Amino acid sequence: MTVEKSELTVRGTGTDAVPDIRLVVLDMAGTTVADGGLVEQAFAVAAERLGVRPGSADHDDKLAYVRATMGESKISVFRHLFGDEDAAQRANAAFETAYGELVDGGRIAPLPGAREAIEELQAAGRTVVLSTGFARITQDAILDALGWHGLVPLTLCPADAGGRGRPYPDMVLAALLRTGGADDVRQIAVAGDTSYDMLAGRRSGASVVAGVLTGAHGREQLTASGATHVLGSVAELPSLLGVVT
């Protein structure tokens, strides 16, 4: 396949140069949405329903794994923690229910500048997609609570892209296939707050894989997992991509 130079125009010079990004895939919790630790709270509810006593060594070990795998598909996390599929499904259902109840209770909010960044990117002609490791029912609850339905042309959860979720590149590639927002994977930017977001972005072939410091993982973890850039927040992404308002 011949790639025209205009398709991969580089903005900027030197180490700060980035390709002409056309498709932007953004994580939700921790990246565009502040949830105040609701993942851990919902996990505690789910674990207790499966007989894991709060304060026990087993609970602490499982919570540590949940923290380490922030960004991964939640059903994958529960499969690892509880072994058999039935227990994993019950834990996941309990988690999603608990998280949804917390969301409905007004426990989430947009991160500062997140909606504005999304709108700036779209106004500049970029296609923006929101993705998550949660199930669709939870993603929709978040979108409902924020009034974000219709904000972007496509939202994705793991089930929308074959079920594997992060760290696999499936949701990023599904965003490309379903929107047609770019002609080349090198015209994709991915932004997220976890090492799993970074791995998924790099595996997809995205040129910009931006870690943000508003969520689960810090600069060292993000960089070690392949971040091409580390930003204070997603509000800085339009500037990185050459969008000036």
Side-chain angles (χ1 to χ4, degrees):
M1 180 182 71
T2 301
V3 177
E4 298 295 333
K5 289 183 180 180
S6 61
E7 293 181 71
L8 295 172
T9 302
V10 172
R11 296 182 179 278
T13 58
T15 58
D16 293 329
V18 298
D20 183 18
I21 298 298
R22 309 312 304 168
L23 173 63
V24 183
V25 182
L26 302 178
D27 172 52
M28 294 182 68
T31 303
T32 55
V33 180
D35 71 0
L38 298 193
V39 168
E40 293 187 18
Q41 294 176 47
F43 164 75
V45 172
E48 189 168 7
R49 290 181 184 175
L50 270 76
V52 180
R53 184 170 52 84
S56 66
D58 186 30
H59 182 277
D60 291 345
D61 288 345
K62 284 181 167 58
L63 179 57
Y65 184 81
V66 168
R67 288 171 175 160
T69 56
M70 288 288 190
E72 186 178 1
S73 169
K74 292 299 176 283
I75 184 60
S76 297
V77 172
F78 287 120
R79 284 177 179 137
H80 175 89
L81 291 177
F82 293 101
D84 71 272
E85 185 66 15
D86 178 65
Q89 291 291 343
R90 286 190 288 119
N92 190 63
F95 171 87
E96 299 287 352
T97 298
Y99 194 96
E101 289 172 352
L102 291 166
V103 168
D104 290 342
R107 299 286 299 279
I108 63 166
L111 277 160
R115 179 169 187 140
E116 292 81 358
I118 292 168
E119 292 174 339
E120 288 171 16
L121 289 165
Q122 293 187 129
R126 276 58 168 186
T127 299
V128 179
V129 173
L130 293 172
S131 66
T132 184
F134 295 133
R136 167 56 61 184
I137 188 171
T138 303
Q139 185 176 39
D140 282 343
I142 295 170
L143 294 169
D144 286 340
L146 299 178
W148 279 15
H149 278 293
L151 177 62
V152 298
L154 179 66
T155 62
L156 292 170
C157 67
D160 297 324
R164 294 197 301 177
R166 307 178 190 117
Y168 299 100
D170 304 14
M171 286 195 290
V172 178
L173 297 176
L176 171 62
L177 291 170
R178 291 178 61 174
T179 66
D183 299 322
D184 188 304
V185 293
R186 291 171 292 177
Q187 293 178 316
I188 301 174
V190 173
D193 66 299
T194 72
S195 59
Y196 283 77
D197 293 303
M198 303 301 96
L199 288 168
R202 291 306 293 261
R203 291 172 179 180
S204 74
S207 289
V208 174
V209 181
V212 298
L213 299 176
T214 51
H217 294 160
R219 182 180 298 273
E220 289 186 5
Q221 288 172 288
L222 296 169
T223 301
S225 296
T228 60
H229 303 77
V230 177
L231 308 177
S233 78
V234 74
E236 299 174 16
L237 188 60
S239 178
L240 174 67
L241 301 183
V243 174
V244 180
T245 58

